[in-house]
Amino acid sequence: MHKRTKVKITFFVILVGMASMFTAVVTDHWAVLSPRVEQVNATCEAAHFGLWRLCKKVIYISEADYNGKGCGPISLPGAENCTYFKHFTPGDESEIFEVKTQKEYNISAAAIAIFSLAFMILGTLCLLCSFKKGNDYILKPAGMFFAFAGLCAVISVEVMRQSVKRMIESEDTIWIDYSYSWSFACACAGFCLLFLSGLGLLLLSMPRMPQNPWESCMDAEHEVE
């Protein structure tokens, strides 16, 4: 398989990874939080959130099996109200971030995700430029940018995971149960695809090793792929 074909296949994988990461950043189903159900035939308020928005859903609980357990599942019908986090507005915090440290976790996750998007844009520009004849050397910075984008994605995922853990453990919040949702899965998929594709581009940017004992590395570099 020619080098150009390998680069195109890698670019397709990168596009899937970019779509997954972009979906994760703009959606609000990273985690689902549930308070304790105190009584049946009454309503409880579950929540799901992402990097930018919190959505609370009022769910009517009629089955006795849910008594004393977490409110949900979030897929049950109910009235939903969504509000955007005011990350950078002093003194105006959402109720879910009553503890200052928890808000700082979420701000960090959002900022790192933005860095991931920036690296993806830079990597895409470099990769598109490398398609021009004689620009194969640009594959190396493209691979580095996509690998960095993947690393930022996994760091954002880990920071968000720690944020959710702190919310559940904190005595200042009402949440007793949690689960990660499809936006979280998209971020994990984006990390895997972007990081591995970035490494793949770095490998493709390396000079080809000689196939014969009498062939020098310098001759291999000047061969037409």
Side-chain angles (χ1 to χ4, degrees), residues 64-85:
D65 293 341
Y66 289 103
N67 192 20
K69 298 181 180 179
C71 178
I74 197 73
S75 57
L76 291 175
E80 191 172 71
N81 180 35
C82 298
T83 57
Y84 285 92
F85 297 138

Side-chain angles (χ1 to χ4, degrees), residues 80-100:
E80 191 172 71
N81 180 35
C82 298
T83 57
Y84 285 92
F85 297 138
K86 295 180 172 59
H87 287 318
F88 308 107
T89 305
D92 190 3
E93 301 183 6
S94 177
E95 291 180 5
I96 196 172
F97 296 118
E98 295 171 21
V99 179
K100 184 179 179 181

Side-chain angles (χ1 to χ4, degrees), residues 85-224:
F85 297 138
K86 295 180 172 59
H87 287 318
F88 308 107
T89 305
D92 190 3
E93 301 183 6
S94 177
E95 291 180 5
I96 196 172
F97 296 118
E98 295 171 21
V99 179
K100 184 179 179 181
T101 305
Q102 294 169 359
K103 182 178 179 181
E104 291 174 352
Y105 269 113
N106 197 261
I107 292 174
S108 299
I112 296 170
I114 292 299
F115 278 114
S116 179
L117 295 181
F119 282 130
M120 287 192 299
I121 293 173
L122 293 174
T124 301
L125 294 176
C126 290
L127 190 54
L128 292 176
C129 291
S130 71
F131 287 142
K132 295 182 180 180
K133 189 175 182 180
N135 286 352
D136 287 352
Y137 65 93
I138 306 182
L139 286 176
K140 185 172 293 185
M144 293 178 63
F145 282 133
F146 285 120
F148 288 153
L151 289 176
C152 287
V154 74
I155 293 173
S156 180
V157 165
E158 178 58 22
V159 171
M160 179 63 76
R161 195 182 70 83
Q162 293 297 327
S163 175
V164 172
K165 184 179 178 181
R166 288 292 296 270
M167 284 187 230
I168 298 299
E169 294 176 351
S170 174
E171 297 180 355
D172 296 325
T173 58
I174 61 174
W175 318 112
I176 65 164
D177 193 18
Y178 73 96
S179 63
Y180 298 109
S181 193
W182 56 268
S183 297
F184 188 87
C186 285
C188 293
F191 153 66
C192 294
L193 295 176
L194 290 171
F195 184 73
L196 294 178
S197 297
L199 294 181
L201 288 178
L202 288 175
L203 292 176
L204 290 173
S205 67
M206 297 175 63
R208 186 175 64 84
M209 296 299 293
Q211 297 178 347
N212 302 310
W214 57 84
E215 182 184 21
S216 68
C217 294
M218 188 63 68
D219 293 334
E221 288 182 11
H222 288 86
E223 276 192 8
V224 178

Side-chain angles (χ1 to χ4, degrees), residues 2-36:
H2 289 97
K3 179 178 179 180
R4 187 64 59 186
T5 304
K6 294 178 181 178
V7 172
K8 290 180 179 179
I9 294 175
T10 305
F11 187 39
F12 175 77
V13 176
I14 286 172
L15 290 177
V16 177
M18 290 174 60
S20 298
M21 191 59 198
F22 182 77
T23 301
V25 171
V26 300
T27 54
D28 47 36
H29 284 77
W30 282 64
V32 177
L33 304 175
S34 303
R36 186 185 303 276

